[in-house]
Amino acid sequence: MSDETLSNLLREERRFPPPKELAGSANVTDATYEQAADDPDAFWAEQAKRLDWDTEPTETVDWSNPPFAKWFADGTLNAAYNCCDRHVEAGHGDRVAFYFEGEPGDTREITYAQLTAEVKQAANALTELGVTSGDRVAIYLPMIPEAVVAMLACARLGAPHTVVFGGFSSDALATRIADCGVEVVITADGGYRRGAPSDLKSAVDQALTKCEGVRSVLVVQRTGQDVEMTEGRDLWWHDFVGGQSDEHTPEAFPAEHPLYIMYTSGSTGTPKGILHTTGGYLVGTSYTHWAAFDLKPETDVFWTAADIGWVTGHSYLVYGPLVNGTTSVMYEGTPNTPHQGRWWEIIEKYRVSILYCAPTAIRTFMKWGPEFPEQFDLSSLRLLGSVGEPINPEAWVWYRHYIGGDRVPVVDTWWQTETGMIMVSPMPGVSEAKPGAAMTAVPGVSVDVVNDEAHSVPNGSGGYLVVTKPWPAMLRTLWGDDQRFIDTYWSRFEGLYFAGDGAKKDDDGDIWLLGRVDDVMNVSGHRMSTTEIESALVSHPKVAEAAVVGATDDTTGQAIVAFVILRTEAGDGGPDVVQELRTHVAAEIGAIAKPRQIMVVEELPKTRSGKIMRRLLRDIAENRELGDVTTLTDSSVMTLIKDNLAKPDSPQE
Ligand code: PRX
């Protein structure tokens, strides 16, 4: 982030104290911070009581072999039982777990009793398919209730799931299936995207031609489109799961039993399989869900507007809310289908009290204008959350004003796939929020901002965000690659978790997140790796070399801009080369990875040691004056690129 952007960020000086009525009844108070600081172990042991354990843990954290943590290690429990059955046993079977709103306008209301019954049926179905504890199951579904049922059925059997976002391509799916040795895939015929059905099953079929080991595919009928079913491998969910008994006794697993693997982009090519385990993850997500959103499960209607294929969907649409017995909204569609007031219509319809979404959505709504939210009754809202990328103060203030009626707190929550749970956030009943600041670590969590030498920076200075103590929902390792886990997160600063984010402490010591410091981009709150997209580009026969950078974008935060050198034999690549390459990236990774802009260039700026100077490419992509070029092998390269791009016939979009 440039100094200018930073000073703009810090120019907004208003403070927003908690509303009086909220402060008076808030879940988290100053005392919570004090208890957590006085005795973190006792604090977390207390939080563990949110769960029903088969064997109560007597240990809290075991950090004897860092960076491999164990939490509540001698406890045993069943994750699905904690999300479903126990609420029914406590007399809340009739409480709605999900108000599902499908994109075509179809709806379903699913109570805790119904959810429990469906999870039991699905668990029986997976058992019949031979799934047992430890087996991996891939879930490649749209945002439909079966996605939650499938996740919980896996959890019930102790079979780690890996949910692959439905927007990823068959290649991306195949890589993930192969990396963690998936045996069963749960998918659908298709999903709805802006009013039209899109294929999922055919992508699974294609993926399975590229990897081995999958013996069964369960197919949910969502769109009713024609799909090919492979005899002996593919089964319809409604036949096979629907025909199962809804009796199933949950088995207790050790707290450190794997719960799921979620792939995410790192700064090198291949996606990383983040491993989360059971007890600590459920404690961390349920506690932070209760704390950051001041959750009152009897009365709140909570809506995480994120896809289940990302960690936000895992932690705050599924596990955290369900452990807490929350009523949630689950929405399949996009914000502008069939009209631009869709979200606000949903909030009015279900009387949503807490909304959790990404700044990119807020900025899009700002562009569309306040006339859309103004047509609906949003008075049920009492809290707003933001996640996924830095929120600019303008968006923060707009969100609070137009959506929150200038009365509700906004919590900007910083966390990652790796952290599993919210780590830095205002507490709605305590913090005097500052627009654009994630403020302070949640009670029980310890973070700092350090300089290159790992020293804590003074207030008013910037550096790298680190976590200084283990936390219950932390990733335990990268699937099958302990060394990469150590190298990526624990080697930059001795004994500290390196998050990969730049941050600043303001004069009060409050934390402002400033974006990634590595080659990871954040596009609409989705994490993308520059190298992953570069690899996709160079796998195209016409491309010799590629460099990808994230350029600042008003709506999506960052946008993908690629510079490619074509192979000599490809000539000028032909008139459609840019389109061809964009389509190729979509096929390799998914439509979300398509570069906004591809520039065909003759050379790339490199340092004397051969490293591509992305900083300079970013300057070009953002139309800035060129920065320092003295370390370039040949500084005329940049002039060449600029001149070439200025030509009217240069092939760019
Ligand atoms: O750069 C930070 C940004 O998103 C990254 C994590 O991405 P992912 O693992 O996909 O998880 C996204 C949802 C939790 C972080 O390294 N990020 C996330 N939340 C914020 C944020 N940046 C600034 N402010 C936030 N509130």
Side-chain angles (χ1 to χ4, degrees), residues 502-515:
K504 183 180 170 81
K505 288 182 197 165
D506 66 16
D507 292 339
D508 305 321
D510 291 323
I511 293 174
W512 299 68
L513 273 307
L514 304 177

Side-chain angles (χ1 to χ4, degrees), residues 1-2 5 522 549-561 596 618 621-624:
M1 181 172 292
S2 69
T5 328
N522 194 325
V549 295
T552 305
D553 184 282
D554 281 350
T555 308
T556 58
Q558 283 188 308
I560 305 165
V561 177
R596 177 186 75 184
R618 216 170 293 129
E622 294 174 353
N623 279 324
R624 261 199 307 276

Side-chain angles (χ1 to χ4, degrees), residues 312 388-390 412-417 501 513 516 522 527:
T312 309
E389 41 177 332
D412 173 19
T413 64
W414 177 90
W415 59 295
Q416 311 177 294
T417 308
D501 279 48
L513 273 307
R516 300 286 307 191
N522 194 325
R527 211 161 132 175

Side-chain angles (χ1 to χ4, degrees), residues 440-484:
T440 51
V442 305
V445 169
S446 301
V447 302
D448 201 357
V449 179
V450 299
N451 62 16
D452 277 313
E453 286 75 48
H455 295 138
S456 181
V457 302
N459 291 353
S461 310
Y464 307 99
L465 187 75
V466 293
V467 188
T468 58
K469 287 197 183 125
W471 65 102
M474 66 196 284
L475 76 165
R476 297 302 193 261
T477 188
L478 296 179
W479 184 261
D481 203 344
D482 287 347
Q483 193 55 47
R484 191 175 175 200

Side-chain angles (χ1 to χ4, degrees), residues 614-629:
R614 290 170 204 284
R615 181 173 50 80
L616 295 179
L617 294 176
R618 216 170 293 129
D619 285 345
I620 290 193
E622 294 174 353
N623 279 324
R624 261 199 307 276
E625 279 303 300
L626 292 186
D628 181 14
V629 292

